[in-house]
């Protein structure tokens, strides 16, 4: 007799649910990494603009238009950086919610898996007990057969 877990379909469903939650979580983490990279690139552009403005001011001469252009770029970039930071924060919140969904799905699957393991152990113990009873019965029958002859 083969072991058959009565809730196998539920176990499989929960595994699929966990896999889908894992996929959703990974997609959101990838999105967060992309947006964080954009933010880092913006911050790098600001650093570059500051160093360029510093070198232009040290050169002297008629650098006014170039410096005002850099100043305007920095003002606009500050606004874009602020928006990007808000976007990153929103995505971080989404990542946390997806992480919680994944954690819950994994917990539900582990509960079912543990139940399956317990049922299997019960089955194994019962099978061993039945096998032992059968072997004992055969031994008794053999012993009686040897005595009778």
């Amino acid at each position: 007799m083969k072991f058959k877990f009565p809730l196998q379909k539920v176990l499989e469903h929960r595994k699929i649910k966990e896999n889908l939650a894992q996929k959703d979580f990974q997609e959101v983490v990838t999105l967060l990494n992309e947006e964080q990279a954009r933010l880092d690139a913006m911050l790098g552009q600001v650093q570059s603009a500051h160093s360029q403005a510093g070198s232009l001011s040290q050169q002297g001469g008629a650098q006014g238009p170039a410096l005002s252009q850099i100043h305007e770029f920095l003002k606009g970039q500050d606004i874009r950086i602020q928006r990007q930071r808000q976007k990153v924060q929103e995505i971080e919140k989404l990542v946390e919610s997806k992480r919680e969904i994944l954690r819950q799905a994994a917990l539900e699957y582990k509960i079912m898996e543990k139940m399956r393991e317990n049922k299997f152990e019960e089955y194994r113990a019962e099978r061993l007990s039945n096998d032992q009873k059968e072997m004992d019965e055969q031994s008794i029958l053999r012993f009686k057969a040897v005595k009778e002859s």
Side-chain angles (χ1 to χ4, degrees), residues 53-65:
S55 67
L56 285 175
S57 64
Q58 285 187 358
Q59 287 177 1
Q63 302 297 334

Side-chain angles (χ1 to χ4, degrees), residues 5 7-19 109 112-113 116:
F5 183 54
L7 299 173
Q8 186 64 33
K9 292 284 185 188
V10 176
L11 179 69
E12 291 169 2
H13 173 72
R14 289 194 179 173
K15 184 62 177 173
I16 290 169
K17 191 175 169 184
E18 180 187 11
N19 289 341
Y109 175 73
M112 288 301 293
E113 183 65 25
R116 184 186 156 288

Side-chain angles (χ1 to χ4, degrees), residues 2-149:
K2 185 180 170 198
F3 172 71
K4 183 169 168 82
F5 183 54
L7 299 173
Q8 186 64 33
K9 292 284 185 188
V10 176
L11 179 69
E12 291 169 2
H13 173 72
R14 289 194 179 173
K15 184 62 177 173
I16 290 169
K17 191 175 169 184
E18 180 187 11
N19 289 341
L20 289 174
Q22 178 70 32
K23 181 179 172 258
D24 289 346
F25 176 71
Q26 290 300 326
E27 288 173 355
V28 174
V29 167
T30 301
L31 179 64
L32 175 64
N33 290 339
E34 289 171 358
E35 295 300 326
Q36 188 64 46
R38 279 194 193 109
L39 179 61
D40 293 342
M42 288 177 180
L43 293 171
Q45 290 171 346
V46 166
Q47 287 293 96
S48 169
H50 279 298
S51 65
Q52 188 178 12
S55 67
L56 285 175
S57 64
Q58 285 187 358
Q59 287 177 1
Q63 302 297 334
L67 288 173
S68 68
Q69 187 178 11
I70 290 173
H71 179 70
E72 290 300 315
F73 169 76
L74 288 173
K75 282 179 18 184
Q77 196 69 350
D78 285 341
I79 293 169
R80 284 191 290 277
I81 286 172
Q82 190 63 27
R83 288 182 185 153
Q84 188 65 21
R85 282 187 174 141
Q86 288 174 343
K87 194 173 184 180
V88 166
Q89 286 176 347
E90 290 170 10
I91 294 173
E92 284 174 343
K93 289 177 186 174
L94 185 60
V95 165
E96 285 306 312
S97 71
K98 294 291 183 179
R99 179 177 285 127
E100 181 59 29
I101 291 169
L102 174 60
R103 189 191 66 74
Q104 187 63 35
L107 183 65
E108 289 174 1
Y109 175 73
K110 283 182 181 179
I111 289 170
M112 288 301 293
E113 183 65 25
K114 187 68 175 170
M115 183 187 296
R116 184 186 156 288
E117 289 173 10
N118 290 341
K119 291 286 185 185
F120 180 71
E121 287 302 317
E122 288 175 18
Y123 164 78
R124 228 173 103 220
E126 184 179 326
R127 180 90 186 253
L128 285 172
S129 173
N130 288 342
D131 288 348
Q132 187 63 42
K133 285 179 187 176
E134 200 173 292
M135 286 190 285
D136 289 347
E137 191 175 307
Q138 287 177 0
S139 295
I140 291 171
L141 289 175
R142 272 194 224 125
F143 183 71
K144 281 185 179 178
V146 169
K147 258 191 160 183
E148 290 176 2
S149 25

